[in-house]
Amino acid sequence: MNRPPALLVRLIALALCAGVGLATRLPSTGDDRRADLAGRFAFSTVALNGDPTGARDLRVVQPALRDIESWISAVGAAVALADLDGDGLPNERCLVDPRDDSVTVAPTPEAADRFPGFALRPAGLAYDARTTAPMGCLPADLNEDGRLDILVYFWGRAPIAYLHRSGPGLNADSFQPVDVVDEPGRIWNSATANVVDLDGDGHLDIFVGNYFPDGARVLDATATDDPLMQMQDSMSAARNAGRNRILRLQTLTTRDGLTRPSYEDQSGALTDEQSRRWTLATGAQDLDGDGRPELYVANDFGPDYLLHNRSKPGRIQFTELRGSRDALAPKSKVLGDDSFKGMGVAFTDLNADDRADLVVSNITTEYALEESNFAFVSTDDHPLGRRTAPYRDESQALGLARTGWGWDIKAADFDGDGRDELVQALGFLKGTANRWAELQELAMTNDAFLRHAWAWPVFREGADIAGHQRNPFFVRDDASGRFTDVAADLGLANPGVSRGIAIGDVDHDGRLDMAVANQWARSTFAHNDGPAREFLGLSLHLPAATAGAVPRPAIGATATVTRPDGTTATQQLYPANGHTGVNAPDLLFGLAGSGPGPFPVTVRWRDIGGLHTTTTTLRAGWHDLTLTDRPVGTR
């Protein structure tokens, strides 16, 4: 048998390598086309906060972690947009600033003089500021009185609910801190949270994604011997994190004029392996139309997972779904089998089938840790009950595979044309000494050593890893079908590495605005100054639960709008999806070129009475709807 000459074999090998390289290379967009895409948008960007007195850029950590103090100091910035003063506009922001570990409420910048900003403080609760740091704030009506409360979660303790008292004005006295769980002194190290109705009983439950092991005194400078402290036990399949918690709302009790929620721990709905992942983000979405949200959990250092919600009122239950793999799909790009670093998740419709697709942030820095973001696109309409996830990653074809060191990601229609743009928070450590080489060594470390901080490279003050990446602003190009990043063309820049993103139309002018929480730098607010276009905005509420209460946001509701050409657009109300950014609890449909309406609108929601559907017609503009069999309260 004749063998091909060695030179021919080498040439074929080189050709194959070159072909693969060209196939994975992202095509560029020409300057003229980029300018056309960017010309649809305009933003005015200002600081969301100032510089606190004594601002720092590192956390105090336990002695075992001092050589990696910069790594440990990489998270904690968070932002939310909401209507906290009850004026009908989501023009208040809650911001977590790691530079002084503050949680503050203030007006958004376009109307900054409405009231003085103030800090939320845990007065009357067991709280050690030397060993505890807030990681996020999440506005939600936890006690069903119609006023938005604020859930704050931490490294160093269990979450606190700041319950919104009745009374004039908005100030620090408007919020009463109460413990969410009755575990005095119990240490949780939480990195993300979501508030949704998981069991379909009409009440909001809490999912808390924990990171470092329960009880680990990460921020305690006196913890010279802490046997509970561990780093991840794998770079691709870690399962030694703190236990994720599911808290089901059990009772509401009124005492001293304040209604307090009480929760039942139903964390057993997660398997041990699911609950011990290093969770950084969650995404809730009703994918099968039964009014109960499925849950996507994005995990650092290993597989994310998608949970099919099989709950019944009073009992939370899930079935894990996994994607299927074919000959062209790498294992790490199959839903449920990835080995990447899941940091954020959002839902949008990428293939115009009016079904929710998923976009997921990972670490995608070229010549460094080059994984891939995910764009899980629906593949067919088969029911989730088959126990497979009907999604295939199309991030490469869509131009979304590689961006940088990703965190939060949001999908939103900023120009009102009916199609979502994508924005993402990027960056890890901003410093002066490049430490990518050391990180590469860490990525190849034997898992037997990885959990021990003493085996890690040194990441101390001044370390830089992906510290100067610009947050992308992705626009879909009709000609190619791919997304193009036009952030630089729009003048959008982040003064530091970013973590959380919150989207909302703060002045209800039909144009979505954006707040970005930056780590160790001022956070920013981008007011949308783009052209005004037709839109339909929905503030969906459930009827007051008790006497003296007011309607509350209908978290989990689904709205479908029919355009004049017969096409439809669907959105679901899950504001807290993502890492540490919480959107305003509204839905806004861009209807550019569709005229003033009226437009048929179908709303589906679940409450204590079960699943409901109603249809109405609405003209363009903003509308408040209280969801009954015949919705009321339009404006």
Side-chain angles (χ1 to χ4, degrees), residues 549-570:
V550 296
R552 63 194 192 277
I555 303 303
T558 297
T560 299
V561 176
T562 302
R563 306 182 186 96
D565 63 2
T567 60
T568 59
T570 299

Side-chain angles (χ1 to χ4, degrees), residues 75 79 81 89 94 116 138 144 152 170 198 217 222 236 238 251 258 272 321 346 349 390 472 503 521 541 565 633:
V75 293
V79 66
L81 294 174
L89 298 174
C94 180
L138 197 169
E144 300 183 4
V152 180
L170 195 65
L198 288 173
R217 294 177 290 165
T222 68
S236 59
T251 60
L258 185 67
D272 187 66
L321 305 179
D349 184 4
I503 308 295
H541 292 85
D565 63 2

Side-chain angles (χ1 to χ4, degrees), residues 146 269 272 315 519 578:
D272 187 66
R315 183 186 178 194
Q519 188 83 4

Side-chain angles (χ1 to χ4, degrees), residues 8 29 44 48 135 219 249 253 303-304 310 330 509:
L8 178 60
T29 301
S44 299
L48 197 60
M135 292 288 135
L219 305 179
L249 182 64
T253 305
D304 301 345
R310 310 297 292 166
D509 64 356

